[in-house]
Amino acid sequence: MTPGSLLLAAAAAMLASILAGWSAPRFWLAATVAGLGAAFGAAVMLLAGGADWDWPGVFPVSGETLHLRLDGLSALFLALTCVVGGAASVYGREYWTEAAHPRSARTGRLWWSLLLFSLGWTLLAANGLHFLIAWEVFTLSAYFLITLDRAREEVRAAGWLYLGASHVAVLALFAFFAVLAVRTGSWELGPLHDRPELAPLFWLALFGFGMKAGLFPLHIWLPSAHANAPSHVSAILSGVTIKMGIYGLVRFSGWMPLPAGAGWTVAVLGVASAVLGVAFALGQHDLKRLLAYHSVENIGIILIGLGFALVAVEHGHPAWGALALAGGLLHVWNHGLFKALLFLGAGSVLHATGTREMSRLGGLWRAMPWTAGLFALGAAAISGLPPLNGFVSEWLVYLGLFDAALAHGPSAWMAILAAILLGVTGALALACFVKVCGVVFLGAPRSAAAEDAHECGPAMRGAMLVLAGACVATGLAPVLFWPAVARAVHAWNPAWTVTVVPAPLVALAIAQIALAAVATVAAGWLWRRVGQTGRGPTWDCGYGAPTPRMQYTAGSFAGIITEWFAWILRPVRHEHRPVEAFPAAASFAEHTPETVLEHVVEPAGGMVMQLSQVARRLQHGRLQSYLLYLVIGLAALAALVLMGGGS
């Protein structure tokens, strides 16, 4: 088998799944998994050392001959798409059933298959026009998946916000590819380092791809879209589709000349996204919205690696630049795994309780031990704790930053600051997921919904187990994944050949395995001790009859930390303070708004609407007024001409 034959089989299977999605759910699932499996095989074959695959095509699509290419970089992203897409497909078959959602289950399968097909086409496209077509197809498919439950007003609003932001990004990308085609005389894509006049186009690419990736402050669509979509859709949105923005940035930053300061800009945006993304996550009470903000955080970590790789290219430091980029690309893979796992875990909670509000949950580990355990594993991975995969990719980014600091060049001070803030991000992420796991799974149930919770079915558990196993495997055996990452780094910059596994990564792998063995033995010992320990009431702090309302809530747990970021979070408080000696009632509630959307974008949009209303008043159909406008315009033009002539 060759990558080409496997990709042909994958395309045929995905087309079959599109056709079967409406009326044959079992065949749809089989065709989808088969197609993704074939594409995954092609990606692995290439990443394991096979030659790049290039198919110039023989038939036109929209006037351009279809041209497909698979190299180390696109193969890395394609493999992630297949793993997350396959797990989420199996999960979604049980999660979004026709019995529970008779109106949207069929259309959901159709748009799901079309999304996966168009994602693969985007990664393989070697023609700018076809790249735009595939990009638009997966954007529209994602919109219809986000709004599957469109009977709810908040879902419709999230869908429109996503669609509006996505098409602003598409306009920027259309300008990018159109100018590129005009300047080069072709829609064909490839290296253009000998065309320095194309360097300013990077800023269009950064805006368009950055908005799709959800980097701060272009993330305005992301929290509501990921929170309101069905959970298997949230998993692929966070695990894969926002990575298409990263793919675009990495792909074209490797192919095109870059303007001065591009690397520093990407690195600064990455640091801001990482720190502020986790800060906004800490202020959330909605479980899925909290996970959505962690996507912003992890996109920032990826961009830190890419930004310093660009700086390394500019200043001629391939050693630490390759490490930083390798860490960023491995984090693309790792984030896709553990974030998809977390969204599927959150979907299991929502499926069992009917609520995403963390302060209405609690005590779920008793009724949902599989979900609680797998969610906890994903939480440890996203917090960058050893011996899981999140620690490995962040460790590689740290290695690149440390080497940059030791180089004593112009990047040293920025690398030191980035390393410090990356450490702060990790500490805040850990605090955030301690809050989540404690409030959602530990303690006592806070509502009837939590008391009546039940474990999810075997298909949903199986999908989460696959992703959890991949997180563990990547963490314990990072050396096995290094050739794939090295191949992607080489595809980005052919001058960077990193075939030798870094010695620190080998030492880390040994330490990870040893730590996992010790943790397994300790967990077994604790499990036996717990089984032998009698149960009794907890220390009740002097209260004779403690109630679930006396537990920490999501807001109270993170209250002190969120106060540090009040300048950007701008939390809104609703409180009814007790004033009498024996108050009958008192309440306190707090929510964190989307600051950029509500305090920047919406006021700016309001001003635009007001100006448009003023402009509409000028269009009233009276000829005399139009002649007056013409006279005023001519007078203003004459005044400008006279002023220019006088100078």
Side-chain angles (χ1 to χ4, degrees), residues 320-334:
W320 58 260
L323 277 176
L325 181 62
L329 290 176
L330 184 57
H331 204 71
V332 167
W333 173 264
N334 288 338

Side-chain angles (χ1 to χ4, degrees), residues 128-218:
L129 182 61
H130 298 156
F131 186 100
L132 282 173
I133 293 172
W135 189 277
E136 183 67 6
V137 171
F138 96 68
T139 296
L140 292 175
S141 301
Y143 164 75
F144 286 109
L145 287 169
I146 290 169
T147 56
L148 280 179
D149 193 15
R150 61 179 56 89
R152 295 164 49 210
E153 181 180 355
E154 60 269 28
V155 172
R156 296 194 301 272
W160 282 117
L161 181 59
Y162 163 80
L163 197 62
S166 295
H167 281 90
V168 170
V170 166
L171 287 175
L173 294 180
F174 181 81
F176 170 76
F177 284 107
V179 174
L180 196 62
V182 169
R183 296 286 181 87
T184 61
S186 171
W187 285 97
E188 289 298 300
L189 301 176
L192 295 166
H193 295 291
D194 58 342
R195 303 291 297 273
E197 72 276 9
L198 299 176
L201 290 179
F202 172 79
W203 304 118
L204 276 174
L206 179 61
F207 179 82
F209 290 123
M211 179 164 282
K212 174 59 71 175
L215 68 87
F216 193 93
L218 304 178

Side-chain angles (χ1 to χ4, degrees), residues 57-66 130:
V58 294
F59 57 89
V61 175
S62 298
E64 290 286 319
T65 302
L66 185 65
H130 298 156

Side-chain angles (χ1 to χ4, degrees), residues 173-272:
L173 294 180
F174 181 81
F176 170 76
F177 284 107
V179 174
L180 196 62
V182 169
R183 296 286 181 87
T184 61
S186 171
W187 285 97
E188 289 298 300
L189 301 176
L192 295 166
H193 295 291
D194 58 342
R195 303 291 297 273
E197 72 276 9
L198 299 176
L201 290 179
F202 172 79
W203 304 118
L204 276 174
L206 179 61
F207 179 82
F209 290 123
M211 179 164 282
K212 174 59 71 175
L215 68 87
F216 193 93
L218 304 178
H219 68 291
I220 56 173
W221 62 271
L222 190 150
S224 58
H226 289 196
N228 288 286
S231 295
H232 64 298
V233 176
S234 303
I236 202 165
L237 288 176
S238 183
V240 178
T241 62
I242 64 173
K243 303 307 187 326
M244 295 297 107
I246 296 296
Y247 172 75
L249 283 174
V250 176
R251 175 98 281 172
F252 291 100
S253 65
W255 274 350
M256 296 181 60
L258 299 175
W264 294 117
T265 302
V266 172
V268 169
L269 288 173
V271 170

Side-chain angles (χ1 to χ4, degrees), residues 291-340:
L291 295 178
Y293 275 109
H294 277 287
S295 295
V296 179
E297 172 216 343
N298 283 273
I299 288 296
I301 295 173
I302 295 166
L303 290 180
I304 291 173
L306 174 60
F308 274 90
L310 296 174
V311 172
V313 170
E314 183 177 353
H315 294 281
H317 294 287
W320 58 260
L323 277 176
L325 181 62
L329 290 176
L330 184 57
H331 204 71
V332 167
W333 173 264
N334 288 338
H335 175 255
L337 295 176
F338 58 62
K339 182 50 74 66

Side-chain angles (χ1 to χ4, degrees), residues 8-35 109-110 113-114 117:
L8 179 62
M14 292 309 302
L15 288 174
S17 75
I18 293 173
L19 297 174
W22 184 259
S23 58
R26 291 184 179 178
F27 181 76
W28 165 84
L29 182 60
T32 301
V33 173
R109 290 193 295 269
L110 175 66
S113 298
L114 196 58
F117 181 83

